[in-house]
Amino acid sequence: MKNTIAALIAGLFATAAFAQTPAPGAPAAAVKAEAKHETQAAKVEAKETKAEAKTEAKAEVKEAKTATRHAKAKTKHAAKTAAAKLDAAKDTTVAAATPAATK
């Protein structure tokens, strides 16, 4: 009876060990599946990188346009200010050169 129980227990251990080992053809399939997964992951990463680069480029273009607008506005303002000062100087010069009207 002890031998029968021992044989059954040994058989259970052997069955459990055999069930846990992968099938002989499984490693090749696993390698292919893993390679396919890595390829897909690389494609997704490339798309994300491309999208990020595109977003950054758009932001840089927007910043450049804004900077150009600001520079143009500053130049225009400086020109207006200079023209106003010139007009003020002419008015002062004309007023000083014109004799005052006497009664």
Side-chain angles (χ1 to χ4, degrees), residues 17-94:
F18 181 75
Q20 290 180 358
T21 58
V31 170
K32 283 184 180 180
E34 186 176 334
K36 185 176 180 181
H37 177 69
E38 288 176 4
T39 304
Q40 289 175 347
K43 286 181 182 180
V44 169
E45 185 176 335
K47 283 183 181 180
E48 289 175 354
T49 304
K50 187 176 179 181
E52 287 177 13
K54 190 174 182 181
T55 304
E56 289 177 9
K58 283 183 179 181
E60 288 176 7
V61 168
K62 190 174 182 179
E63 276 185 36
K65 284 182 179 181
T66 304
T68 303
R69 271 191 246 125
H70 285 298
K72 284 181 180 179
K74 281 185 178 181
T75 305
K76 194 173 184 180
H77 177 71
K80 282 183 179 180
T81 305
K85 286 182 182 178
L86 184 62
D87 287 342
K90 282 183 183 179
D91 290 342
T92 305
T93 306
V94 171

